Amino acid sequence: EPEVTQTPSHQVTQMGQEVILRCVPISNHLYFYWYRQILGQKVEFLVSFYNNEISEKSEIFDDQFSVERPDGSNFTLKIRSTKLEDSAMYFCASIGQGDRPDYGYTFGSGTRLTVV
Amino acid sequence: AQSVSQHNHHVILSEAASLELGCNYSYGGTVNLFWYVQYPGQHLQLLLKYFSGDPLVKGIKGFEAEFIKSKFSFNLRKPSVQWSDTAEYFCAVNAESSASKIIFGSGTRLSIRP
């Protein structure tokens, strides 16, 4: 079954450093998403991306965050200057186009970001 | 804006007990509804989804959910739980179009006593 892959699985960074989280969505998918889950809390929407631009973003997704699809396969989330409160599990997701009976988001296994 | 409420934060059951986890959503239009499961240390997995047709939806691992439009509810059920069902369960909704964002509930932690 096709998978969404995320790397690295765990990243530790110092406060103020830049981090890039990487995702490889399913190859024929067109809509891409980033979500995050702070430990013990619910999964929160960050941003959606379609046709090489952001289609929607939450209030969490401020100027410190950016997304990019630098080539045909990768989808990255960059945090320019990390803060302690950015520590969370970050999930990438993708879906295909069209209202298919098997529609549903596919989530990656996540990157655990720890800011120290 | 849509929202999802899961009123049970932590549910503890013995094996073979029946399970029902509550989920209510807030949105006036057409919605797609989901239940995701997150086993300890793992990523989110889709248990089942509803977007049209029969309001009683069957998913993987013996789970089912019923969409009751008049109550804005989508409760998850399983007649007999197993120890391996220990996990966090998230109800989720997306609205407007099938490509719009998913909004998650706060989750229900299910602990099964062997």
Side-chain angles (χ1 to χ4, degrees):
Chain A
E1 190 171 326
E3 289 185 345
V4 174
T5 56
Q6 290 186 243
T7 56
S9 56
H10 189 191
Q11 176 141 9
V12 181
T13 189
Q14 288 199 324
M15 191 169 56
Q17 295 296 304
E18 174 184 285
V19 293
I20 297 176
L21 309 183
R22 291 183 167 79
C23 170
V24 179
I26 294 173
S27 62
N28 62 347
H29 282 186
L30 299 175
Y31 298 85
F32 313 111
Y33 307 82
W34 283 101
Y35 289 79
R36 79 171 185 190
Q37 184 183 27
I38 295 172
L39 187 64
Q41 298 186 26
K42 68 177 180 181
V43 180
E44 301 172 292
F45 168 77
L46 291 178
V47 65
S48 59
F49 191 86
Y50 171 72
N51 200 24
N52 285 319
E53 61 182 25
I54 291 173
S55 49
E56 188 175 2
K57 60 183 181 180
S58 71
E59 58 272 16
I60 302 168
F61 195 88
D62 61 23
D63 292 344
Q64 292 300 311
F65 291 87
S66 62
V67 288
E68 195 177 35
R69 190 159 160 80
D71 52 42
S73 59
N74 290 285
F75 178 51
T76 62
L77 174 69
K78 182 192 291 186
I79 309 175
R80 288 190 184 83
S81 178
T82 50
K83 303 187 284 287
L84 293 176
E85 53 264 40
D86 293 327
S87 295
M89 182 74 91
Y90 288 80
F91 292 104
C92 174
S94 69
I95 63 168
Q97 187 170 29
D99 196 12
R100 305 181 320 215
D102 62 343
Y103 156 78
Y105 286 63
T106 302
F107 282 85
S109 54
T111 293
R112 181 169 296 286
L113 176 65
T114 303
V115 182
V116 297
Chain B
Q2 60 266 38
S3 65
V4 181
S5 298
Q6 293 180 247
H7 304 293
N8 309 108
H9 296 296
H10 189 191
V11 172
I12 303 172
L13 295 173
S14 297
E15 274 195 311
S18 65
L19 168 73
E20 180 159 4
L21 301 183
C23 172
N24 289 91
Y25 68 94
S26 171
Y27 186 71
T30 303
V31 293
N32 301 313
L33 295 155
F34 309 84
W35 275 97
Y36 282 87
V37 61
Q38 187 178 29
Y39 296 103
Q42 296 190 29
H43 64 284
L44 293 161
Q45 298 175 43
L46 182 67
L47 263 183
L48 48 78
K49 60 183 182 281
Y50 170 84
F51 51 90
S52 66
D54 189 342
L56 184 61
V57 179
K58 295 194 184 299
I60 61 171
K61 306 187 182 191
F63 286 92
E64 66 178 31
E66 185 175 12
F67 171 49
I68 303 179
K69 190 174 181 180
S70 60
K71 295 184 178 180
F72 297 88
S73 69
F74 190 57
N75 292 353
L76 180 71
R77 300 195 292 249
K78 185 170 183 178
S80 177
V81 295
Q82 302 171 311
W83 180 79
S84 57
D85 293 324
T86 296
E88 187 99 18
Y89 291 81
F90 294 94
C91 182
V93 61
N94 85 333
E96 298 169 354
S97 75
S98 63
S100 65
K101 65 188 179 190
I102 282 183
I103 302 298
F104 286 86
S106 55
T108 297
R109 185 155 61 99
L110 176 64
S111 299
I112 305 299
R113 291 190 291 251

